Amino acid sequence: MSEACAAIVERADPERFAATMAAAPEDRAALFTLYAFNIEIARAPWASKEPMIAEMRLQWWRDAVEAEASSPGPQHEVMSPMGRLIRTKALPLAALDAMIAARRWDIYSDAHADAAALTSYLEDTGGTLMWLSCKALGATDETEKYAKSVGYAASLANYLRAVPQLEDLGRVPLVDGRPAEVAALARDGLVRLDMARKARLPRSALMAAHLTRPLLRLAASEPNRVAQGALVVPEFTRRRRLLVQAVTGRF
């Protein structure tokens, strides 16, 4: 089943696939499972233009998580390995449910209610994914806030890259898209990233954040790039960041 999850990640999220292949081999199965799960719940809101159908798809994942927590259900290429991970690593169901529920925002065209709502969305999606990845690899509960800080920063960097695409799809991704506010968002992400450096987090899980710092630095110094769809890290920098982080663990 992990091969199917790896294939899903390779097709849908090549950056995270490369990061996982740079992780310790013994950690890859858990990470591929979590990342494939994340891809599937992120896809669900976009699978239909009919909100009710999209809501039903998300609800299926919420129900499947709850069912798999107690006993294996019908074979499924993502949910079956995810269920094993939930049971063997005691992944918190409340966190998984919040992660899925946050994706309801993607169904509708309403803007985030305010800056706090955007923060919650990023924390519940990317922040929770990083925390679950760390927990699956043995992190203690005391490190949760640090793992979520890294995940929030990584999610913010990816979200800023996706702003033009989200706007093309009829969404209102930023509460305030003025350059000064975008730069402030990016700086907040960098602060959270720095704060998390004091914690001992699994190196393999952190590999997924290897581009976070250069992307947020670019957004902080040149915020106009976000609206232009030009928040791009050069290929040489991408490869160097992946290699350096794999060797040193610094993110």
Side-chain angles (χ1 to χ4, degrees):
M1 287 294 183
S2 61
E3 290 81 3
C5 289
I8 289 171
V9 178
E10 184 176 19
R11 289 193 302 270
D13 194 343
E15 281 184 4
R16 199 167 258 134
F17 179 83
T20 308
M21 292 306 295
E26 63 271 20
D27 295 335
R28 292 173 190 165
L31 293 175
F32 277 135
T33 297
L34 280 163
Y35 297 158
F37 174 78
N38 181 62
I39 287 166
E40 292 300 325
I41 64 172
R43 282 174 174 166
W46 305 95
S48 172
K49 293 182 179 180
E50 174 54 54
M52 183 175 294
I53 294 176
E55 291 270 14
M56 291 172 62
R57 287 177 180 271
L58 284 179
Q59 188 60 47
W60 183 92
W61 287 99
R62 298 176 81 172
D63 293 344
V65 163
E66 185 176 358
E68 284 282 347
S70 56
S71 62
Q75 283 296 310
H76 185 277
E77 63 178 2
V78 174
M79 203 57 240
S80 294
M82 188 65 194
R84 288 194 293 273
L85 201 61
I86 291 169
R87 295 188 298 274
T88 58
K89 300 298 182 179
L91 298 185
L93 298 188
L96 286 160
D97 192 67
M99 186 177 169
I100 301 169
R103 292 293 177 180
R104 293 187 67 249
W105 180 82
D106 297 316
I107 297 175
Y108 303 98
S109 58
D110 299 332
H112 293 288
D114 50 29
L118 172 58
T119 296
S120 294
Y121 174 83
L122 296 173
E123 289 176 341
D124 288 340
T125 53
T128 297
L129 177 61
M130 181 60 76
W131 163 232
L132 293 173
S133 300
C134 289
K135 187 169 178 60
L137 299 185
T140 63
D141 289 346
E142 289 72 22
T143 64
E144 179 178 356
K145 68 177 182 180
Y146 301 108
K148 284 187 172 181
S149 291
V150 178
Y152 169 88
S155 184
L156 173 61
N158 290 328
Y159 190 79
L160 291 176
R161 284 197 287 182
V163 162
Q165 181 183 7
L166 288 169
E167 290 177 338
D168 287 345
L169 291 169
R171 303 302 189 265
V172 184
L174 297 174
V175 177
D176 188 335
R178 290 176 297 177
E181 295 301 318
V182 171
L185 265 179
R187 288 194 298 270
D188 175 63
L190 289 167
V191 168
R192 294 187 186 220
L193 203 59
D194 288 339
M195 183 269 287
R197 276 183 160 177
K198 67 181 71 174
R200 294 179 63 84
L201 297 169
R203 183 179 296 189
S204 291
L206 295 171
M207 290 304 303
H210 69 284
L211 292 179
T212 300
R213 189 172 296 277
L215 285 168
L216 290 180
R217 281 177 173 168
L218 189 58
S221 62
E222 301 180 53
N224 285 320
R225 283 177 173 264
V226 171
Q228 296 165 0
L231 198 62
V232 179
V233 176
E235 183 62 27
F236 172 78
T237 302
R238 295 160 67 93
R239 295 186 181 187
R240 180 173 60 82
R241 290 287 305 186
L242 186 60
L243 176 61
V244 169
Q245 189 166 324
V247 172
T248 68
R250 289 187 64 80
F251 54 92

